[in-house]
Structure formats: structure tokens, C-alpha cells
Amino acid sequence: MGELPVSLVDGFGRAHRDLRVSLTDRCSLRCTYCMPADGLPWIPSAGMLTTAELLRVVGVAVDLGVQEVRLTGGEPLLHPDVVDVVARLHGLPRAPELSLTTNGLRLPGLAAPLADAGLERVNISLDTLRRDRFVALTRRDRLVDVLAGVAAAKAAGLHPVKVNAVLMRGVNEGEAVSMLRWALDEGLQLRFIEQMPLDPQHSWDRGRMVTAQEVLAALSQSFTLTPVPARGSSPAEEWLVDGGPATVGVVGSVTRPFCGTCDRVRLTADGQLRSCLFAPDETDLRAAMRTGASDDEVARRIRACLASKRAGHGIDDPGFLQPTRPMSAIGG
Ligand SMILES: C[S@@+](CC[C@H](N)C(=O)[O-])C[C@H]1O[C@@H](n2cnc3c(N)ncnc32)[C@H](O)[C@@H]1O
């Protein structure tokens, strides 16, 4: 293996190493803050990247310096070939580290085959441990399946198993401490994520958001939190819990933004490259590939997309416009 390339440096000197790949915009849950009860107008199947196209883009991105690929969605485990996709990504020359963000529902059947295929880690999204609240939040009575998914991920040796939770005012904001106690008992790395303006209803309200500071204040009532230095490009700030070694993370995307060290770029399920969740535009790699673009041309378009990346997400800017696509269609 030769020197690692560093071609994906943007205009602010940030080298991009982390590619988030959405496998589908469809999901098996209907979380109230993420999707309407009836779903969304899905990307038609002819518009989705084929597995071959997806592997091609990732192969080019890896040659440009991407070292980590996270599969997401929608719900990535709904992709019929997800195990094959993982195996083939793992088989790439300079294979990237592979991780996945999931609601966990299909992990009981898929965690072991995914681990065998080369998946290293999973993040499982879970916002509440109360069944009634889970039903209200996700519009599905599936808490028991998510918990079975957590157990399956651990049994398959996927490590670490991280749990991502979004706390919402008047909904589940009181669960920070009980969720952390559960995560500590289960050997899971819990991370609280601030809610961002990426809902399809465009009803996000900064004033109602549960902030990183509030989460930390609630946890500090019951635990001793010691900051872990060396965050690097990770979106999560980490704290040792009661002296460690267990940690808890907080992703303060809105109130404690980390855009200055961002190394992420995103590929949607329909082949559009986005330099940021909040980017105003996309680079159409699907059309390029389907009209005969060479790998060099795909690489040129990827570099051009990053060259136009903005310094920050701009949520607090007076002229901020929420992206047209919601989180589920970009890839969370
Ligand atoms: C969109 S989902 C996609 C992957 C997979 N279906 C899952 O449940 O993890 C990824 C993550 O985005 C989070 N999410 C969705 N909308 C969000 C928002 N507006 N702000 C912050 N996180 C959000 C979800 O809670 C979930 O943890």
C-alpha cells in the first residue's frame, strides 16, 4: 500500500476522511421529529445508486483519502444487499473502516453476518427506554426489537456499540440520567445529540431545543463528569463518568458547533454528494456516472464539491435556510 492521499482538502484546510453513505431514504420507524406518519415521497428505485455505482464512488473517494465509511439512511438495514455491500466495501483495496448507523430493528438477523462481512462498529438510535414513549415517538411498538438489536450487536462483537439519543423538550428530556445508567449497565457508549433543523415539517425551534448544556447539567446531578481531551474530528465531546473508564458523549451540533474540524462528506442514496448536512447544493455523481464519466471525472467532481464547502453550517446566520431535503433523505 502506498502513501495515503490527502486530495480532499477544502478551502479552509480541512482534510476529508469520513464518507457517510445513505443506502436508502426509506425507514421502518416514523420518528415524529424525522418523518411524517405517512412517510415521504421516496426516491424512485431507478434513481437510487446501484451497488456497483455506490462501490465505484466509494472506491474513488478512498483513492482521494477517505478512510472511514459510515452506512446510514433512512434505515440502511432495509437495503436488500446490505451484507454484500459491506463485504464488497471491505474488499476494496485500501479498505476503509466500516461503521453503520441504524435503528437496530434488523440487527438480530444481520449483526453477525455484517460483522463477518467486515463491519466494525454500530451506532444504534434510541431516544427512550419507556415503551409508551417509544410508541408515541416512533409511531411503532418496537422497543423490544431495538433492545434485541442492541444485544445482537454486542453478541456479534461489534465494538463499541454506541447509542445515539435526541432529547426533546416535553417529550423525553427527563430521561438523560436513566438512559446513562442503562448504557453503563449494558456496556454501551451513550451520546446525546442536539436536535438540528432537518425535519420535514420545518418546525424546528431553537428556543425549544434541549441543549448540550442542559443535558450536562442534568447528568451532573447524578454523575461526576470529567472532560476527555483530544476530541479530534469527532462530533462528540466526551466525558468520563464517575472517573471512567466509561464515557458519555454530547454532540452539540447547534450550540457547540465543531465545523472547524469537520472531516465529513455525504453521499445520498440517489448519488448526490453533499459537503455538509446543511449544504445549499449537491453534486450529481449519479448523472455523471450514467453519462459515461471516467473515474478521473468523478474524482474531479468530488474535489470540486469539497472546494465549495462553507466554513460552517450557518444555523445561527440571519439568512439561514434549512435544506430542502430532511435528515432521512440526506443520511443521518
Ligand atoms: C436519520 S437516522 C438514519 C439512520 C437510522 N435509521 C437510525 O435510526 O439511526 C440517524 C440519526 O439521525 C437522528 N436525527 C434525525 N433527525 C434529527 C434532527 N433533526 N436532529 C438531530 N438528529 C436527528 C436520529 O435520531 C438518528 O439517531
Side-chain angles (χ1 to χ4, degrees):
M1 188 182 292
E3 285 280 293
L4 285 175
V6 280
S7 317
L8 289 180
V9 179
D10 69 12
F12 300 91
R14 296 171 294 197
H16 289 73
R17 305 286 195 198
D18 181 340
L19 176 65
R20 308 276 161 122
V21 177
S22 173
L23 292 186
T24 176
D25 57 337
R26 292 162 172 77
C27 192
S28 36
L29 297 179
R30 291 287 179 273
C31 300
T32 48
Y33 60 97
C34 194
M35 239 184 228
D38 295 333
L40 290 160
W42 310 123
I43 300 167
S45 16
M48 307 276 280
L49 287 191
T50 63
T51 300
E53 288 168 335
L54 186 155
L55 286 159
R56 189 175 163 205
V57 174
V58 176
V60 172
V62 164
D63 285 342
L64 292 172
V66 161
Q67 293 169 6
E68 178 174 352
V69 172
R70 172 172 295 278
L71 302 176
T72 182
E75 173 47 44
L77 299 186
L78 292 181
H79 191 292
D81 302 324
V82 63
V83 176
D84 185 46
V85 168
V86 167
R88 290 168 72 183
L89 289 171
H90 186 59
L92 284 173
R94 280 205 198 103
E97 280 180 44
L98 293 173
S99 56
L100 179 124
T101 299
T102 174
N103 61 28
L105 296 182
R106 287 198 165 180
L107 279 177
L110 286 173
L114 285 167
D116 289 346
L119 187 73
E120 293 173 43
R121 302 187 300 275
V122 280
N123 287 12
I124 300 174
S125 303
L126 180 61
D127 300 327
T128 177
L129 290 167
R130 278 183 39 177
R131 180 179 170 189
D132 58 338
R133 198 169 276 161
F134 186 94
V135 174
L137 245 170
T138 67
R139 303 186 178 105
R140 300 287 187 272
D141 190 3
R142 307 285 308 264
L143 175 59
V144 69
D145 300 306
V146 180
L147 298 178
V150 170
K154 289 196 313 186
L158 295 166
H159 187 78
V161 176
K162 294 186 183 175
V163 171
N164 292 345
V166 177
L167 294 182
M168 282 152 289
R169 183 107 36 226
V171 180
N172 59 346
E173 63 182 312
E175 282 195 69
V177 168
S178 51
M179 286 200 76
L180 181 52
R181 282 199 208 293
W182 167 76
L184 296 175
D185 286 348
E186 294 284 332
L188 308 166
Q189 285 187 17
L190 180 63
R191 305 180 334 156
F192 293 99
I193 301 179
E194 280 181 348
Q195 194 181 1
M196 295 176 278
L198 286 168
D199 58 312
Q201 301 90 348
H202 288 228
S203 60
W204 179 86
D205 177 351
R206 198 185 202 291
R208 281 187 55 77
M209 185 188 69
V210 177
T211 64
Q213 196 52 46
E214 288 175 277
V215 174
L216 290 168
L219 295 178
S220 299
Q221 304 277 321
S222 303
F223 304 96
T224 303
L225 301 182
T226 316
V228 179
R231 177 189 195 176
S233 61
S234 165
E237 291 175 79
E238 299 273 341
W239 281 263
L240 291 175
V241 182
D242 292 339
T247 58
V248 64
V250 177
V251 181
S253 318
V254 178
T255 62
R256 301 153 88 116
F258 36 87
C259 304
T261 55
C262 179
D263 68 346
R264 285 170 289 287
V265 55
R266 291 167 194 274
L267 181 68
T268 65
D270 54 353
Q272 311 299 305
L273 198 70
R274 298 180 64 93
S275 60
C276 171
L277 274 173
F278 297 96
D281 38 44
E282 306 181 330
T283 297
D284 191 349
L285 298 182
R286 180 192 62 190
M289 290 189 287
R290 291 185 184 177
T291 52
S294 64
D295 283 359
D296 281 350
E297 173 59 15
V298 173
R300 190 194 66 72
R301 289 184 186 224
I302 295 174
R303 280 197 298 266
C305 175
L306 267 304
S308 69
K309 179 161 173 160
R310 301 184 302 185
H313 57 44
I315 291 173
D316 285 329
D317 294 352
F320 172 74
L321 284 180
Q322 182 171 334
T324 338
R325 286 202 207 227
M327 179 81 131
S328 62
I330 295 172

